[in-house]
């Protein structure tokens, strides 16, 4: 079942699956609930949510797309201002981790 774009998180009972077009990350829980994150628009999130059941069906699972809901944050986080006002607790330094597969 595991493809290159999926990663199992067994302690949390979920699978993370990434799509390239549209660029989203989906958390697939053992209950069947799927949460899509990372889309830049509502259209991209709906397209990604519709592509996920198709990908899972190709892997042999019986799934269907039943409900779609968009949840947005009521505010935005401006990272440069946030880090300036919350130093040394927050920083924008990137750390690169290399995974071995």
């Amino acid at each position: 079942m595991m493809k290159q774009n999926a990663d199992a998180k067994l302690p949390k009972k979920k699978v993370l699956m990434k799509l390239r077009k549209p660029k989203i990350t989906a958390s697939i829980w053992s209950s069947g609930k799927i949460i899509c994150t990372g889309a830049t628009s509502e259209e991209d999130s709906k397209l990604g949510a519709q592509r996920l059941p198709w990908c899972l069906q190709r892997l042999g699972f019986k799934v269907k797309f039943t409900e779609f809901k968009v949840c947005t944050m009521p505010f935005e986080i401006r990272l440069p201002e946030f880090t300036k006002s919350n130093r040394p607790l927050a920083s924008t330094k990137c750390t690169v981790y290399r995974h071995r597969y």
Side-chain angles (χ1 to χ4, degrees):
M1 183 219 126
M2 286 289 130
K3 296 181 75 175
Q4 193 172 7
N5 60 345
D7 185 25
K9 302 290 183 188
L10 296 178
K12 294 185 179 183
K13 298 182 181 179
K14 71 176 180 178
V15 172
L16 292 178
M17 190 170 189
K18 294 188 179 196
L19 297 179
R20 285 185 231 146
K21 289 184 182 179
K23 191 173 181 180
I24 64 161
T25 301
S27 299
I28 305 170
W29 298 90
S30 60
S31 64
K33 185 175 185 178
I34 299 175
I35 299 174
C36 299
T37 58
T40 55
S41 67
E42 268 189 58
E43 294 83 25
D44 282 351
S45 70
K46 186 159 188 171
L47 179 64
Q50 290 172 339
R51 279 193 62 209
L52 283 167
W54 179 78
C55 293
L56 294 171
Q57 285 171 352
R58 289 185 63 201
L59 293 172
F61 295 99
K62 292 183 178 183
V63 296
K64 63 181 179 176
F65 186 79
T66 57
E67 185 181 343
F68 178 77
K69 180 172 55 169
V70 175
C71 299
T72 58
M73 300 294 287
F75 57 89
E76 63 182 52
I77 299 173
R78 294 187 180 96
L79 289 177
E81 291 85 8
F82 178 78
T83 55
K84 286 177 186 174
S85 62
N86 291 296
R87 289 189 191 224
L89 297 174
S91 71
T92 55
K93 292 182 182 177
C94 296
T95 306
V96 177
Y97 295 102
R98 296 187 183 240
H99 297 287
R100 294 184 183 203
Y101 294 104

